[in-house]
Each structure stands twice: as structure tokens, then as C-alpha cells.
Amino acid sequence: MSAPVLVACAHGTRNPTGRRLIAELALAAREQRPGLVTTAAFVDVQPPTVVDVVAGLAAEGRPAVVVPLLLSGGYHVHVDIAGAVADAEGAVAARPLGPDPRLVAVLLDRLAEAGADPHDPRTAVVLAAAGSSDPRSVADVENTAGLLQRSWAGPVTTGYGSAARPPVPDAVAAARRAGAERVVLASYLLAPGHFHDKLIGAGADLVTAPLLPDARIAAVLLDRYDAAVAPAPDGAAAARR
């Protein structure tokens, strides 16, 4: 039996660079796993929709694993993607890319590239995420901030582009009130687009580049796929029954 199709499901963006980097992420996963069939889908902004892609594969009798190209679990993961696979024979959803220590390693590299010093206790980092009203998404971002804090001497807090609190400018202002001499926005976004554009005017001293491109993210993508394909251990299967 052939391996399930990897459906790389991103949010979608009108930014041409963002579109290119997301497409290249799926290609990088294919390069790391020769022979793996991949296709793209989106939950918003651009076609094809994840519903249409999954339904089309199911109609052809082809099993699929939808891997969210999203950094935390929120509405798009738990509603849009979960709904797309719910009634599709042979389709399953993997967990999102984050949290993951490899993403934190990429964040640290982006911070260094921007000129921030991880050993300076006076440099605060605000982890800037897109945001979601789903508390599970907020918890995932907070988890990532906690992982980043292990390698950062100054304080690490979170800020959001929408839905969740605090908004990024408020988080930057709060870091300054707390005594930071320098505030750096760590862009917790995969690629350029609407949310990254908003970071420039948020009042920070530095803003990092998004996470892509980076081969480690393709490795995370493949790990999420493998975990969804692998049969559950006997204990887990029994627990579900």
C-alpha cells in the first residue's frame, strides 16, 4: 500500500513571498522524503481549500494526512481541519508544527541574526504570534515562550496580532515599563504577510525575520506526518476503545 498523501495545510496569504516560502516548505519535505506525495491546501485567503483537497483525495480512494502548517492549535486546527477530515474516508489530521524545540532553535537563530544578545539580561523578547481566541492556541504560544526563556537571559513574554491578549504593542510597552533597555520582537510566524507587516510599527527596537526558510521546519512537518501515520501503541488503542 502506498503512503498517504501529505496535505500541507497553511493559513493562506496574499503576500507573494509568503506564498513562495510556504510552497518551498512542502517541497523541502518532499526532498527530505523522496517518493512522498505532497499537495497543498489552505484554510483561508487562497485556494484550494482543505475541504476540497481532502474530499477530492477521498473520492479517488487515496488516504491522506493533513499536516497543519500552523504554529499552534486554534480554530483552524480544531474546527476547519478537523471538520475537513471528519467525514473523509482515509483522512486524518496531524498536530500543528508547534510547540517544538526545533522551532525555538530557529527563533534563537533569527534573534541572533537581528543582532540581539541572548546573554544580556536587559534585552527583553516579546514572542509575537498571530493570535487566536482559542485558549489551546494561547497555551501553545506560552509553552514556546517558556522554552525560549531557557536560552534567554532577559525576560521573554508574549504578544498577539489579533484575538488574544496582550496585543503586540502593549506587550512591548509592558516590557519597557518592567525595565528592559532593549525590546526585541521575535516573529513567531512562518512567513511574511499581514501579521508580520504589523510588527514593524509595534514600537520594538528590533524585529526578527519569520521562521522560514529553514530545513528544520520541514523535518518537523515530516515528524507530524509520521506520528499521524504510525499505528497507535496497543495501550493507546485499548484506551480509545
Side-chain angles (χ1 to χ4, degrees):
M1 182 181 296
S2 60
V5 175
L6 190 163
V7 180
C9 183
H11 179 275
T13 179
R14 294 182 178 86
N15 183 292
T17 302
R19 289 189 175 196
R20 174 179 58 81
L21 289 171
I22 291 296
E24 289 176 355
L25 173 58
L27 290 174
R30 193 184 306 170
E31 290 172 359
Q32 292 185 24
R33 185 73 57 84
L36 179 64
V37 178
T38 67
T39 191
F42 303 91
V43 293
D44 200 2
V45 182
Q46 65 187 99
T49 70
V50 64
V51 171
D52 289 346
V53 170
V54 170
L57 291 170
E60 296 171 5
R62 302 174 71 186
V65 173
V66 180
V67 181
L69 302 189
L70 301 165
L71 298 173
S72 59
Y75 183 91
H76 293 311
V77 170
H78 299 297
V79 177
D80 291 332
I81 293 174
V85 304
D87 299 320
E89 183 69 27
V92 297
R95 56 169 290 216
L97 300 179
D100 191 281
R102 288 165 290 186
L103 300 183
V104 175
V106 178
L107 283 168
L108 287 166
D109 285 350
R110 296 291 177 268
L111 285 160
E113 291 162 6
D117 181 1
H119 305 295
D120 181 4
R122 300 163 299 178
T123 297
V125 171
V126 174
L127 184 67
S132 170
S133 59
D134 190 320
R136 291 170 290 190
S137 175
V138 174
D140 284 346
V141 176
E142 295 286 348
N143 186 333
T144 299
L147 293 173
L148 181 58
Q149 183 69 83
R150 297 177 185 178
S151 300
W152 202 264
V156 177
T157 56
T158 56
Y160 301 91
S162 67
R165 299 190 67 83
V168 170
D170 291 2
V172 171
R176 293 201 191 281
R177 288 195 303 270
E181 294 185 6
R182 201 181 198 198
V183 180
V184 184
L185 281 178
S187 177
Y188 194 45
L189 303 165
L190 283 177
H194 172 71
F195 287 115
H196 190 265
D197 291 344
K198 291 171 63 176
L199 299 183
I200 305 302
D205 298 292
L206 295 172
V207 178
T208 72
L211 301 182
L212 289 173
D214 195 286
R216 287 168 289 188
I217 300 174
V220 176
L221 169 58
L222 289 171
D223 282 352
R224 299 294 181 262
Y225 171 86
D226 290 340
V229 170
D234 291 341
R240 284 202 301 269
R241 289 197 296 270

